Amino acid sequence: MVTVGAAQLGPIARDETRSQVVDRLLALLDRAHERGCDLVVFPELALTTFFPRWYFENQDEIDRFFETAMPGPETQALFDRAAEHGIGFCLGFAEMVENGGETQRFNSCILVDKSGAIVGKYRKVHLPGHADHLPERKWQHLEKAYFDVGDLGFPVWRTMGGIMGMCICNDRRWPETYRMMGLQGVEMIMLGYNTPATEPPWGFEPTHLAGLHNNLSMQAGAYQNATWVIGVAKAGNEGGCDMMGGTLIVAPTGEIVAQGRTLEDELVIADCDLDACNHYKNTVFNFAEHRQPDQYGLITETAGVILPPDD
Ligand code: CDT
């Protein structure tokens, strides 16, 4: 049984300092400790505002949102407090690394165990949005400009009594994300997101669909892979953009067992029995028994659609 605290964050202002944000994360960790949590999941880019919504001409302005060390001077306190409480955590952040003389920037998250050791890292694979400045837009979504595509695949780790995996925001909309981890026996997928509540980048949609698609993606991913899914929002009006909340914890049955109520810092808690994954893993979704990978070639052969020939 893993008691999970999904630590939703309200908006983070563009000029909020790392220390101010870390203080908010520490308050959530303390609350999680009082409530008996084993594991706390923070959102995507949990240390800063969602900066891809702005176009910056100067790379230095972008780089100030990135971490070059994890833990770093401001985030060390998180590791210390979590270890003191004996709580593991998942944290999303912008990661900058030097690789063979080249600077790489990723939208990343780490998994830290109850002793404060980093046991896993994931780098976001599905980067939404656009690479060019589009001034006609109300806000930008420049993930394709500011981040490199993640290069670590979709690993899982044996830790905290289970098989744990992570993904980030837009990844949750893609069945491949869940299946890659499902094929490694994942029992809990942690993910944070920053999703506008209105006026999605790809054009007008009725506002109620943001919540529907959020739930639909995670509930399907959970059920079809017999895993817990912990989805954690950055919510509220951030830099003039209304971000949806809807933090939720989904059981391997696909049922939502806990859900956020606010657009603020809020801890959503559920006791997650990892053995509850076993039923579907051993029956309808016994992959070894029922999958037919020979018939799935197109999934890795092509990114785009290959239409049938015209008559
Ligand atoms: N951060 C992130 O990946 N956000 C995208 C925005 C899409 S606009 C509805 C997401 O898929 O939620």
Side-chain angles (χ1 to χ4, degrees):
M1 190 72 78
V2 181
T3 301
V4 177
Q8 176 172 290
L9 290 176
I12 298 178
R14 188 163 148 175
D15 60 358
E16 210 163 320
T17 65
R18 295 289 198 287
S19 305
Q20 287 172 316
V21 177
V22 166
D23 281 347
R24 289 169 57 183
L25 305 188
L26 290 174
L28 286 159
L29 269 181
D30 290 345
R31 214 178 304 159
H33 177 57
E34 284 160 21
R35 301 286 305 276
C37 292
D38 298 295
L39 178 60
V40 167
V41 183
F42 294 110
E44 174 189 36
L45 299 176
L47 298 171
T48 64
T49 194
F50 187 74
F51 59 91
R53 80 166 60 87
W54 290 286
Y55 173 67
F56 299 99
E57 283 190 1
N58 185 336
Q59 187 64 46
D60 288 345
E61 282 185 282
I62 303 168
D63 286 349
R64 69 194 168 87
F65 295 106
F66 282 77
E67 311 301 312
T68 52
M70 187 54 69
E74 293 101 345
T75 47
Q76 182 63 53
L78 263 183
F79 286 70
D80 294 344
R81 185 74 59 86
E84 203 178 294
H85 290 330
I87 295 180
F89 67 92
C90 167
L91 176 75
F93 64 103
E95 179 194 18
M96 182 156 58
V97 287
E98 293 301 319
N99 188 1
E102 189 201 343
T103 304
Q104 292 181 303
R105 295 172 184 81
F106 297 104
N107 186 341
S108 299
C109 56
I110 46 166
L111 181 58
V112 177
D113 72 11
K114 292 182 175 190
S115 74
I118 296 177
V119 291
K121 181 188 285 180
Y122 170 73
R123 290 171 171 162
K124 186 174 183 178
V125 168
H126 300 101
L127 297 175
H130 47 99
D132 299 320
H133 183 209
L134 301 178
E136 68 276 16
R137 288 177 51 114
K138 202 168 167 190
W139 54 75
Q140 305 296 302
H141 197 115
L142 284 160
E143 284 196 67
K144 284 191 190 296
Y146 296 167
F147 296 117
D148 297 296
V149 172
D151 58 355
L152 302 175
F154 295 93
V156 302
W157 300 271
R158 281 190 190 277
T159 183
M160 291 176 268
I163 302 178
M164 309 292 193
M166 299 183 284
C167 65
I168 300 178
C169 194
N170 191 264
D171 288 321
R172 77 193 187 286
R173 304 185 190 276
W174 299 90
E176 294 88 346
T177 299
Y178 302 93
R179 185 63 98 222
M180 285 298 293
M181 291 186 266
L183 283 168
Q184 300 168 81
V186 76
E187 295 173 315
M188 182 175 288
I189 296 175
M190 289 156 265
L191 69 98
Y193 58 91
N194 282 267
T195 299
T198 57
E199 204 199 352
W202 47 76
F204 176 77
E205 270 184 353
T207 53
H208 71 277
L209 291 180
L212 171 67
H213 295 159
N214 188 54
N215 296 4
L216 188 63
S217 306
M218 290 192 270
Q219 290 183 260
Y223 166 62
Q224 291 168 348
N225 295 279
T227 179
W228 290 88
V229 172
I230 320 295
V232 187
K234 169 105 74 57
N237 189 286
E238 200 187 70
C241 173
D242 284 316
M243 311 292 282
M244 66 172 293
T247 290
L248 80 185
I249 298 181
V250 187
T253 52
E255 294 164 292
I256 295 173
V257 297
Q259 196 158 17
R261 294 177 43 251
T262 73
L263 296 174
E264 298 161 9
D265 292 8
E266 178 183 353
L267 194 67
V268 178
I269 299 174
D271 294 325
C272 303
D273 179 0
L274 300 185
D275 287 342
C277 301
N278 294 341
H279 174 67
Y280 292 130
K281 283 192 194 299
N282 294 330
T283 55
V284 66
F285 297 125
N286 180 332
F287 290 163
E289 190 92 5
H290 305 300
R291 289 184 77 252
Q292 302 295 343
D294 290 352
Q295 304 302 315
Y296 308 151
L298 273 183
I299 288 179
T300 52
E301 281 163 23
T302 176
V305 172
I306 301 175
L307 293 173
D310 284 336
D311 284 340

